[in-house]
Amino acid sequence: MQTVVVYGNSPTTTATIAALMHLDDGLVVTVPDDSNGALFNDLVALGGMGHNTLAKATPKVVAEADLLVFTDTLPADADADDANALTAANIKMVREALNGAMANGFTGTLLVATTRDELLTYFAQRFSGVASDHVLGVGTAAHSLFTANRIAQELNVPVHNVAVDVVGTATDYQVLWSRAAVSTVPLLSMVQNDAAKVSAEIIQTVNRELQQFAAGIGAAVTADVVARIAAVLLSTQTDIVPLTLIDGTGAGLTVVARPAVVGRQHVQVLPRVAGAQAEEEASRRLRTASSRPFMTLNIKVTGANR
């Protein structure tokens, strides 16, 4: 059986563990040894209704795990709504967890599902030294799922017939409308074709609703995305998902979500396909803004260099 270790102490942590417990993959879902005892017992009870088992992870279990998942860890002595305090607490958690895991020989995959996952994905790779195609962030996967579902609803078609890419970061994203398609038909050509009877307002409507959705992504949505990604990473299946990935080095480093083929414990970045000129300019700004993201963090991170 494959093993997943989930870190964090937030509502997203609990929801993620519950979602993983109900996958049909025969997993051992584990939490660190020092996890809250009462919460652990509640999750054990919940797991009895799922397909998988829940256990506490010893250092040996962590070292041999197939996947480490990082969710938010709420600051113990700060306002939970303080974004900088949350980010600092997450970085501390990731650093300590990976220092221990790597010292014991961990060779699996890392999946970051925290707030500001682009920043924590960068730090996770830096702390661990794991190959960049084994360090993933949830990125804009939820945004893409939402957008595809809304297009499908508007057009009354099955969602699996809709292809649309949302790239960037969870808070600074862009829908590549010029590449959106239903089956093999570009969405923009349907909008421009009177015979198709597709209103041009679909783009404005979905954009507006996506903004509302992105501003309020909660624990249940993040947990569902993590479970979907984990199901592919831990199986022989493949899927195309926009994930936060590290690209380049030095001054050319970027950490943004872009479409990739997700396979067993790794990803393969798809060749970049150009969008419309305006989309290309916006994408370039996103990539530039994400360059060396740790330089823009307005908090003190102790021990950031491993």
Side-chain angles (χ1 to χ4, degrees):
M1 296 178 74
Q2 297 185 89
T3 302
V4 180
V5 185
V6 182
Y7 293 89
N9 68 347
S10 66
T12 300
T13 311
T14 306
T16 296
I17 293 171
L20 291 171
M21 295 291 286
H22 287 79
L23 289 178
D24 294 326
D25 293 358
L27 302 178
V28 177
V29 182
T30 64
V31 294
D33 260 342
D34 59 355
S35 295
N36 179 278
L39 175 60
F40 178 79
N41 291 335
D42 286 345
L43 290 170
V44 169
L46 178 63
M49 297 180 282
H51 303 281
N52 303 311
T53 58
L54 181 70
K56 287 201 173 183
T58 63
K60 185 176 185 297
V61 169
V62 173
E64 296 177 353
D66 300 279
L67 178 66
L68 306 186
V69 177
F70 296 100
T71 61
D72 283 331
T73 184
L74 301 179
D77 55 354
D79 184 350
D81 293 327
D82 184 334
N84 280 350
L86 176 60
T87 300
N90 284 337
I91 292 174
K92 181 176 184 290
M93 169 190 65
V94 170
R95 182 182 63 243
E96 292 177 350
L98 289 177
N99 282 347
M102 303 314 296
N104 285 290
F106 174 76
T107 59
T109 300
L110 312 177
L111 178 59
V112 178
T114 63
T115 303
R116 289 208 67 181
D117 77 289
E118 76 284 359
L119 184 67
L120 271 294
T121 298
Y122 165 80
F123 276 117
Q125 197 283 324
R126 183 162 177 156
F127 293 147
S128 67
V130 171
S132 57
D133 65 343
H134 281 62
V135 185
L136 324 171
V138 294
T140 52
H143 302 58
S144 295
L145 287 168
F146 176 86
T147 304
N149 273 286
R150 285 298 294 117
I151 293 172
Q153 291 170 7
E154 289 289 325
L155 299 181
N156 195 27
V157 299
V159 68
H160 63 261
N161 286 343
V162 177
V164 62
D165 293 326
V166 181
V167 299
T169 70
T171 57
D172 194 3
Y173 57 85
Q174 176 190 3
V175 183
L176 298 183
W177 287 108
S178 66
R179 294 176 53 187
V182 179
S183 293
T184 58
V185 181
L187 180 63
L188 292 185
S189 70
M190 297 174 66
V191 169
Q192 295 163 0
N193 184 348
D194 292 338
K197 297 182 180 180
V198 176
S199 171
E201 291 181 1
I202 184 174
I203 294 176
Q204 287 77 15
T205 297
V206 176
N207 267 332
R208 183 172 59 252
E209 293 184 7
L210 176 58
Q211 289 178 355
Q212 297 171 346
F213 170 79
I217 293 177
V221 171
T222 301
D224 180 65
V225 168
V226 169
R228 288 172 183 245
I229 297 169
V232 179
L233 287 171
L234 300 174
S235 72
T236 58
Q237 306 170 24
T238 59
D239 197 1
I240 297 177
V241 185
L243 297 177
T244 298
L245 302 169
I246 299 169
D247 184 39
T249 58
L253 180 96
T254 60
V255 191
V256 292
R258 56 194 189 280
V261 178
V262 183
R264 188 174 181 82
Q265 295 194 30
H266 77 286
V267 299
Q268 178 181 351
V269 181
L270 291 172
R272 195 171 67 82
V273 179
Q277 182 176 350
E279 291 173 343
E280 280 300 287
E281 291 176 356
S283 292
R284 196 175 301 112
R285 288 194 296 272
L286 286 175
R287 292 194 297 273
T288 301
S290 75
S291 296
R292 299 179 67 81
F294 55 93
M295 296 297 291
T296 64
L297 182 63
N298 188 29
I299 59 176
K300 181 179 180 181
V301 180
T302 304
N305 294 316
R306 184 173 182 271

